[in-house]
Amino acid sequence: MLKRTLGMTHQFSNIIGRSESMLGVFKMIETVARTNSTILLTGESGTGKGLVAQAVHFHSLRRDKPMVSLNCGALPENLLESELFGHMRGAFTGADSNKKGLLEVAERGTVFLDEIGEMSGVMQVKLLRVLQERRFRRVGGLEEVQADIRVIAATNQDLTRLVAEGRFREDLFYRINVIPISLPPLRERREDIPRLVEHFIRRFARECRRDVRGVSVGALDALTRYGWPGNVRELENVIYRAVVLAREPVVHLQDVPLDVAMPETVSLLSQDALPLREACDQFERQYVLRTLERAHWNVSRAGRVLGVHRNTVLAKLAAWGIHRPGGMEGKSATQ
Ligand SMILES: Nc1ncnc2c1ncn2[C@@H]1O[C@H](COP(=O)(O)OP(=O)(O)OP(=O)(O)O)[C@@H](O)[C@H]1O
Ligand SMILES: [Mg+2]
């Protein structure tokens, strides 16, 4: 069992996550990748749907064939149609040659239909037909073309709601909702954050040729507590910026945008939902951590800045369960 788990995490080495929910996702990918089942990936923006779609393709028997992606929300209906199905010469103004659509390009491979919830009603009907009959016609074409494709669809919308509202066809929904895989928002798997931070620091340090190797306790604390409405993509951007800005080999709180570093402070000023005591506690925690970082974790010096005895600072850290990096300036995110 252990061996199996290790094998699995190794297999999806570019998808970081050890939380229970992500292990569930890995297991699901492993189970369904080698089948031809249609997969529906759901999850908020930035949760990794694109990454999972790739993982499915590269763990499938179709991995040597192409995977083509199409963002169904990005194109007007007629363009989407000719992108997907291809067209014959003369089918419309500007169609000066025959062109293969993505369904043909992806023959024996995988088609990734991103933002499927954005597809127009007319396109939904056309797609349904392909999924039912595994055949289609190019725009302006008479001949039926066979489509041996595996479809992976993704959406950050609630398709059942769209169906209830009459904006998404129920029959198409059932066709694509064969194997649903839902990607949990980052705020519901905070235990994955330290590893993601480490992963992105390593990657951007290499890509940007920066000597950045870790993250300070205070910064990691803030990164772990923030709500991440933009999920992993937002975290990725924040770490990229931090790696570029960092003046030392360790990412500090001041390298992190203020609304991430002190969301309590920023949102506290615009909200009024918290009792004063709690608001003060949250502010105090962030402020003390920031001062400590500025003082390179010299507790006596931070105490002097804050106007309290060093024992008071230590007592607060103990109460918050924060361990002071032992004599070092920062602590690597490596666990
Ligand atoms: N678990 C993860 N491990 C490593 N990187 C991740 C993970 N999840 C997401 N990412 C990265 O975060 C970014 C966003 O992921 P992705 O594009 O797959 O999200 P998405 O769910 O498709 O978002 P959208 O709905 O906005 O298209 C990508 O750069 C991806 O590589
Ligand atoms: Mg995406």
Side-chain angles (χ1 to χ4, degrees), residues 193-246:
I193 292 177
R195 272 198 191 81
L196 282 163
V197 169
E198 185 193 0
H199 169 77
F200 290 133
I201 287 183
R202 216 183 280 152
R203 186 171 118 204
F204 295 131
R206 193 177 55 234
E207 283 178 22
C208 307
R209 293 164 193 259
R210 304 271 309 168
D211 180 23
V212 179
R213 281 164 274 165
V215 57
S216 76
V217 179
L220 188 58
D221 179 67
L223 292 167
T224 312
R225 285 150 47 85
Y226 179 63
W228 301 112
N231 295 293
V232 185
R233 179 178 295 113
E234 186 183 8
L235 175 63
E236 186 176 15
N237 292 339
V238 164
I239 299 299
Y240 176 80
R241 179 182 177 275
V243 166
V244 170
L245 289 182

Side-chain angles (χ1 to χ4, degrees), residues 41 47-56 67 69 112 114 154 183 233:
L41 299 171
T47 46
K49 298 184 293 297
L51 211 53
V52 168
Q54 279 177 9
V56 170
M67 166 168 174
S69 304
F112 178 42
D114 209 354
L183 279 288
R233 179 178 295 113

Side-chain angles (χ1 to χ4, degrees), residues 278-292:
E278 224 166 285
C280 291
D281 286 348
Q282 291 190 10
F283 176 78
E284 183 184 23
R285 178 188 165 111
Q286 292 295 324
Y287 190 67
V288 169
L289 282 178
R290 219 152 101 120
T291 309
L292 275 164

Side-chain angles (χ1 to χ4, degrees), residues 153-281:
T155 181
N156 53 24
Q157 306 196 61
D158 178 357
L159 283 189
T160 48
R161 211 196 67 223
L162 295 190
V163 168
E165 290 170 357
R167 288 158 58 200
F168 200 83
R169 293 184 65 100
E170 193 170 15
D171 43 11
L172 178 58
F173 174 68
Y174 289 124
R175 272 284 164 190
I176 59 173
N177 194 34
V178 182
I179 309 283
I181 302 181
S182 120
L183 279 288
L186 190 53
R187 65 183 170 280
E188 287 174 15
R189 46 175 160 124
R190 292 181 192 274
E191 61 269 43
D192 287 339
I193 292 177
R195 272 198 191 81
L196 282 163
V197 169
E198 185 193 0
H199 169 77
F200 290 133
I201 287 183
R202 216 183 280 152
R203 186 171 118 204
F204 295 131
R206 193 177 55 234
E207 283 178 22
C208 307
R209 293 164 193 259
R210 304 271 309 168
D211 180 23
V212 179
R213 281 164 274 165
V215 57
S216 76
V217 179
L220 188 58
D221 179 67
L223 292 167
T224 312
R225 285 150 47 85
Y226 179 63
W228 301 112
N231 295 293
V232 185
R233 179 178 295 113
E234 186 183 8
L235 175 63
E236 186 176 15
N237 292 339
V238 164
I239 299 299
Y240 176 80
R241 179 182 177 275
V243 166
V244 170
L245 289 182
R247 277 168 298 179
E248 294 174 41
V250 170
V251 167
H252 287 283
L253 208 49
Q254 68 254 29
D255 305 319
V256 171
L258 200 61
D259 57 334
V260 175
M262 295 193 160
E264 295 89 356
T265 318
V266 171
S267 67
L268 279 175
L269 297 176
S270 54
Q271 281 174 27
D272 52 8
L274 274 187
L276 179 62
R277 185 65 256 155
E278 224 166 285
C280 291
D281 286 348

